[in-house]
Amino acid sequence: MEFLKAFLVGGVLCAIGQLLIDKTKLTPARILVLYVVSGVILGAVGLYEYLVDFAGAGATVPLTGFGYNLAKGVREAVAEEGFLGIFTGGFRAAAGGVTAAMIFGALAALLVKPKDKS
């Protein structure tokens, strides 16, 4: 049942993104920013936590989950360090994911030879 919940919630988030691409004039970059900011706002007010508890990876893997992770990291850092946590919490919370993306991107660039579409 856990996999079904994750699939459904992740699928709904992706379907909303696809609808935004198809039915609005928003660019994919603006939709990306909208998703991250939505995750930050929902995480900051404590609503995204319920979605994470319900759907697990279906809520944490999409871009809204990245925003939620940033908000959660800032909230925890502020509780531990005070005002300086505002500046350091998001970096610490997202460091693992950003590092993995950079490493895997560099590996893909080294291992894969791009070809023309023709």
Side-chain angles (χ1 to χ4, degrees), residues 94-108:
V98 171
T99 302
M102 290 171 52
I103 290 171
F104 292 128
L107 283 173

Side-chain angles (χ1 to χ4, degrees), residues 49-80:
E49 186 72 33
Y50 296 114
L51 193 59
V52 170
D53 290 341
F54 175 76
T60 58
V61 171
L63 286 169
T64 50
F66 179 70
Y68 161 73
N69 192 28
L70 291 174
K72 183 178 172 187
V74 169
R75 188 173 47 239
E76 290 172 357
V78 166
E80 292 175 10

